[in-house]
Amino acid sequence: MTVESDWGDWLLRAVEDADPDGLAVWYLGCNGFIVKTSGGVTVFIDPYLGIGDPPRTVRMVPVPFEPSDVTEADAVLGTHEHTDHVHGPSQAPILAATGATYYTTDSGHEVIQEEDWTGNWSVTDDQLEEIAEGDTLELGDLTVHVEPANDPDADHPVSFVFEHESGTFFHGGDARPGAFEPVGEAYDIDLGVLAFGAVGMIPDSETGEPERTQWYSDENMIIEAANELQLDRLLPTHWDMWKGMTAEPTVLHNHARSFDYPESLEIVEIGDRVDL
């Protein structure tokens, strides 16, 4: 599979040219992000540039860049093994072009082996690192903690806490509430990313028949997770991605109003930048 972008390379060049005062994050649609620090460290999280598997999963947002156009990356992180999080055509060319290290769990590494990243792309074994809850990564002026996640659809999901002198950023993958209270107690999180989406009738992967499907937190669940994490700012993701699963994130203002957390909502679209 060759990835072709709808947007050319302008977003990548904007990230490269950026000189954040602290920590900047760019939303890539789905659950993908680029994080860049004032020290020049660049990290990709769950960048997915595929179109899904129509007609079961149909991409509803642009493909924001081609992975072979990436020239600056220190690390790529995968929260869990699903194809829109660990995906060779989206991520292996980034590793090949930049020499970055890829970090994901054991189940993510099973996907890497199945897709033969080292055979199909110019990726070396020493670029592939297995992680688990409790691990800490030191990436220049950025510290990344690997924390638990409750995703009943995944084999081994994790979440990530990014600590920088300018603030703390959290990425929960596709996880739902249930495992985040210890994370919220351990860290003072300024900005947190949580997956949000509708329940939809999605064709079954084997029969093709429409089946009631939930992959992400609904309106009440995402606010429950935000309160477990004690988030200052909540940035909902994934609501834009799959046909039949899209949602309207502004409704979360009403769901959050009577709770302590989040203190504010960050509603962004693909390509937007948010700063800590």
Side-chain angles (χ1 to χ4, degrees):
M1 172 186 170
T2 300
V3 172
E4 296 184 1
S5 171
D6 301 303
W7 282 5
D9 66 353
W10 69 263
L11 180 58
L12 293 176
R13 305 294 84 85
V15 174
E16 290 174 8
D17 293 341
D19 186 17
D21 289 333
L23 188 71
V25 298
W26 286 261
Y27 181 44
L28 305 177
C30 195
N31 218 340
F33 283 84
I34 304 173
V35 173
K36 188 173 185 179
T37 73
S38 53
V41 173
T42 302
V43 177
F44 287 73
I45 312 161
D46 285 351
Y48 176 67
L49 307 168
I51 61 168
D53 184 23
R56 183 170 187 259
T57 50
V58 180
R59 186 182 184 111
M60 300 296 287
V61 291
V63 176
F65 61 88
E66 296 177 14
S68 58
D69 287 336
V70 177
T71 61
E72 295 182 0
D74 297 285
V76 182
L77 308 181
T79 57
H80 62 290
E81 76 281 354
H82 291 166
T83 192
D84 54 338
H85 299 263
V86 178
H87 184 242
S90 297
Q91 296 157 2
I94 299 176
L95 307 184
T98 65
T101 302
Y102 192 87
Y103 299 93
T104 193
T105 63
D106 50 0
S107 61
H109 279 272
E110 291 176 5
V111 175
I112 291 171
Q113 292 172 359
E114 291 169 4
E115 295 181 340
D116 192 12
W117 288 20
T118 57
N120 290 320
W121 293 275
S122 298
V123 175
T124 59
D125 286 330
D126 61 1
Q127 289 180 274
L128 305 172
E129 294 287 342
E130 185 175 316
I131 54 172
E133 298 88 337
D135 288 347
T136 298
L137 312 176
E138 297 292 347
L139 305 171
D141 60 339
L142 187 65
T143 299
V144 184
H145 302 279
V146 184
E147 296 292 346
N150 171 36
D151 183 349
D153 297 317
D155 290 333
H156 187 182
V158 292
S159 59
F160 296 111
V161 177
F162 299 80
E163 288 191 310
H164 187 259
E165 62 183 8
S166 62
T168 302
F169 172 61
F170 173 82
H171 192 297
D174 290 354
R176 306 175 200 177
F180 288 150
E181 282 191 6
V183 181
E185 293 294 332
Y187 305 96
D188 182 9
I189 302 172
D190 298 290
L191 175 67
V193 163
L194 293 169
F196 167 55
V199 176
M201 296 297 289
I202 303 299
D204 181 78
S205 58
E206 295 183 0
T207 67
E209 292 299 316
E211 184 176 273
R212 188 180 188 278
T213 303
Q214 181 174 10
W215 288 330
Y216 318 113
S217 290
D218 64 15
E219 296 91 337
N220 297 311
M221 295 167 69
I222 192 172
I223 300 304
E224 181 181 352
N227 278 269
E228 289 181 353
L229 290 161
Q230 303 178 42
L231 296 183
D232 291 345
R233 301 154 68 189
L234 166 64
L235 196 163
T237 58
H238 237 319
W239 55 268
D240 55 0
M241 186 61 176
W242 300 125
K243 185 174 180 61
M245 306 292 280
T246 58
E248 174 48 65
T250 59
V251 303
L252 297 177
H253 288 286
N254 295 322
H255 290 269
R257 183 168 292 134
S258 64
F259 291 91
D260 291 335
Y261 303 99
E263 296 177 3
S264 65
L265 283 169
E266 294 279 348
I267 306 298
V268 299
E269 297 176 327
I270 183 172
D272 286 349
R273 169 180 168 174
V274 178
D275 288 82
L276 268 65

